Amino acid sequence: MFFVDTIEVAGLGNRSYLAGGERTAVAVDPPRDVDQMIAVAARRGVRISHVVETHLHNDYVTGGLELARITGAAYLVPAGARVSFARIPVQDGDRTEIDADAGLTLRAVATPGHTPHHTSYVLEGNGVAVAVFTGGSLLIGTVGRPDLVEPRLTERLARAQHASAHRLAAELPDETEVLPTHGFGSFCSSAQAEGSATTIGKEKASNEALTRDVDTFVADLLAGLDDIPAYYTHMGPANAAGPTPVDLTPPAVADAEEIAARLAAGEWVVDLRNRVAFAEGHVSGSFNFEAEGQPATYLAWLIPWGKPVTLLAESPEQLAAAQRELVRVGIDRPAAAATGAPADWVPEGKAPASFRRATFADLAGRRPVAAVVVLDVRRGSERAAGYIEGSVHIPVHALHRRLGEVPAGEVWVHCAGGMRAAIAASLLDAAGREVVAVDDSFDAAEKAGLAVRTP
């Protein structure tokens, strides 16, 4: 008997896994906050004997080194990954016994493409493949991005992705479960996955890496690549150096005067409340990265690396959850924090700031629409599928550097659903612009009577 438990890391669009038998187990690509993995092992009543990495991750700080230290597990890392800490280097074909009683072993399969050293691990029960941990190689319906290492290697790695996918498909039975790390909203995926479970057989029928010839596949893959989150440049080096343990204790409490002082000093004050509450009232100059969205991904993408950040939350629980998300991307300790409501966070005698929210129907009713600035903050690939005629396009992750490019006048800002528009609206509001956040699905734009063009 064996088990495979999935640890969802939804904020990053990733999954980690714990697999084993009755006594021992292996952790695959663990997140930095390792307490979750330890808790899953405790519920199973197993000891984590091995921790494995499929590759040096570009989108998050791993918990592998710390988990191995805490549990005494053997730490397996692909031999081609250049790291500064002791580990067991893994070569193609290496086998590792996970649980002798259950007949469980891991077989390493070199699957370069997402990175040059990428390695997948086949979980075998009594010599039969039952699952494969594919990391950033073969994903659900797609593959991991090949452009995160070095621009000159991108096409070569894209071709390697095609070859690696075909190797897995050729060597493994159709019923083998495919368990990727990326692809559930992660920007490490070359396309967004549909569905949550798959097998080698299903991927043979639907994955473009397995249904298209290499030249067509590579051309389409490279054409579809979008912007790389800015914080990715810091993740690989952190993982290669060996991440330090995390500190999730509550930050120092900031009162209204300290919040104002930190803003005056140019630090970032981030409000984690939902976008409706933020629009209705917030500390002037603060930015809105709502906890219900992907606060770590977008905050890490936008904030100048290393700049102090103060967190504002409606509850201690919301604050703690945000801290957990932020350490996963290397934002280790908030400078300060406060919980409550805007009335608690602004100095005495001052009122919270606010801005309007609207729908696409409201925008269409604003005649003429050309009298206002319509700002589209979606990614380029989204805009390529359709956009409001006359709108200005600045992706949200570039807006803080390009505020001066937003034309004068009242700004109606939109994205695909409202979350990124709220971030952008808070940036514009902090810069003193008159802004309206369009909190609506982009599908409603054309229905509202707005002219939507498709190139």
Side-chain angles (χ1 to χ4, degrees), residues 365-377:
R366 180 70 184 256
R367 299 296 181 185
V369 172
V372 300
V373 178
V374 179
L375 177 63
D376 180 352
V377 297

Side-chain angles (χ1 to χ4, degrees), residues 270-295:
V270 170
D271 191 326
L272 299 164
R273 296 173 304 137
N274 73 69
R275 57 185 182 261
V276 176
F278 183 88
E280 291 175 349
H282 55 268
V283 176
S284 180
S286 63
F287 304 136
N288 183 214
F289 292 81
E290 59 179 357
E292 293 88 348
Q294 290 180 283

Side-chain angles (χ1 to χ4, degrees), residues 328-341:
R328 293 170 178 163
V329 292
I331 301 177
D332 283 9
R333 289 294 294 168
T339 58

Side-chain angles (χ1 to χ4, degrees), residues 90 96 118 120 183 202 223 238 269 311 314 388 444:
V90 178
T96 303
H118 192 284
S120 297
K202 290 179 181 178
V269 173
L311 300 178
E314 63 185 9
I388 296 173

